[in-house]
Amino acid sequence: MRTPLIVGNWKMNKTASEAAAFVRELTKKLPASSSIELVVAPPFTALESVRAALSPSSPIQLGAQNLFWADHGAYTGEISAPMLRDLGCRYVILGHSERRTLFGEQNEGIQKKLRAALTHGLRPILCIGESLAQRESGNTDSVLTQQLRGSLAGLDSLAMATIAIAYEPLWAIGTGKAATPDQAVTAHCTIRDVLAGTWSPAVANATRILYGGSVTPQNIHSLLKSEQIDGALVGGACLQVDSFATIATIAESIGV
Ligand code: 13P
């Protein structure tokens, strides 16, 4: 049984004080029980204020949007895994398509970041996904396979047990045009097949695969209804308290 995981990727939004006010409001509107895991990933600058605004028993966990693979050193502008752990982060999003396309990240570097996260007890959420051109030319499966194998190469089953995969087709991110549940399920099945073939059926069965790309309170139910979709990585709709709380509430009610 895979515990559903809902993650809000705030991207470059909200100051530290806005972030604190946001999570205080969000906390009031969340469902009482917690059969799902809920994560917010604010910008680095807001991690401390969000942590301070959450009670130790809060159902909201803290995630980061990126890290650098070295623990410390002369890497101007970078943030390390130990720094994130020290701020209370449990999760880290890695390989987001915006990092890949805008900042030139590639599978080899993402692999190093994954290892750094694992070394320091952070749970990676590895983002993969195809562009529209890749989909239209029939290359979705090979792109997903390459991204998975390239980023996860050499990791053993124990490491794989702490990794979640987020399938985020580039054409669905920020476009208002989410993948249909069928499209998402097809991609998730491809991902699970690669995991089964590269590691084992047990790894494939245990790994949480989230969908991301224009997730809203309106479409979350139809997406999570499928047993192949173990949660969501939410961008735009996680920036409003009501819409993110609604998404969490619907996910809770489905219990995926
Ligand atoms: P949107 O939900 O805004 O499409 O963003 C998805 C995303 O990139 C989450 O990481």
Side-chain angles (χ1 to χ4, degrees):
M1 174 70 183
R2 301 184 289 264
T3 305
L5 175 61
I6 302 291
V7 183
N9 175 8
W10 294 12
K11 308 192 179 182
M12 196 175 73
N13 290 290
K14 299 191 193 298
T15 63
S17 44
E18 288 166 349
F22 180 92
V23 291
R24 277 194 211 99
E25 275 311 297
L26 180 63
T27 301
K28 291 183 206 156
K29 300 200 170 175
L30 289 178
S33 67
S34 59
S35 61
I36 64 168
E37 276 194 85
L38 195 62
V39 175
V40 293
F44 294 134
T45 47
L47 288 170
E48 178 64 32
S49 71
V50 169
R51 178 171 58 171
L54 296 174
S55 75
S57 62
S58 171
I60 303 172
Q61 302 183 75
L62 206 50
Q65 299 174 20
N66 186 25
L67 56 67
F68 187 66
W69 56 74
D71 286 359
H72 52 79
Y75 303 102
T76 302
E78 296 296 328
I79 302 284
S80 73
M83 292 172 182
L84 297 175
R85 277 296 283 173
D86 187 54
L87 284 172
C89 287
R90 290 276 295 130
Y91 283 88
V92 61
I93 298 168
L94 292 174
H96 192 279
S97 67
E98 285 148 18
R99 301 285 332 157
R100 293 176 192 259
T101 56
L102 300 173
F103 303 102
E105 289 204 13
Q106 295 184 346
N107 293 332
E108 296 70 35
I110 294 164
Q111 190 193 132
K112 289 194 202 171
K113 293 181 175 201
L114 269 154
R115 287 173 183 274
L118 293 167
T119 299
H120 293 283
L122 287 163
R123 308 188 68 149
I125 299 164
L126 171 67
C127 302
I128 59 172
E130 81 288 359
S131 67
L132 187 58
Q134 288 164 334
R135 169 165 285 263
E136 287 179 342
S137 56
N139 288 321
T140 300
D141 287 3
S142 65
V143 169
L144 297 179
T145 304
Q146 216 178 349
Q147 289 177 336
L148 280 171
R149 295 214 176 117
S151 311
L152 299 171
L155 295 182
D156 61 20
S157 299
L158 204 62
M160 289 300 294
T162 63
I163 294 174
I165 312 285
Y167 169 60
E168 295 208 310
L170 274 62
W171 46 270
I173 296 178
T175 59
K177 195 175 174 302
T180 63
D182 279 356
Q183 286 172 319
V185 166
T186 303
H188 285 214
C189 288
T190 300
I191 293 167
R192 243 180 257 290
D193 284 349
V194 174
L195 296 177
T198 313
W199 284 272
S200 66
V203 165
N205 191 42
T207 303
R208 289 184 290 187
I209 307 178
L210 319 182
Y211 167 77
S214 296
V215 170
T216 62
Q218 288 71 40
N219 62 23
I220 187 75
H221 188 273
S222 61
L223 288 161
L224 292 188
K225 214 165 63 191
S226 161
E227 63 173 26
Q228 281 299 331
I229 303 180
D230 305 311
L233 182 51
V234 186
C238 80
L239 296 173
Q240 306 299 326
V241 169
D242 282 342
S243 59
F244 194 54
T246 303
I247 287 171
T249 305
I250 292 171
E252 174 75 42
S253 73
I254 298 173
V256 184

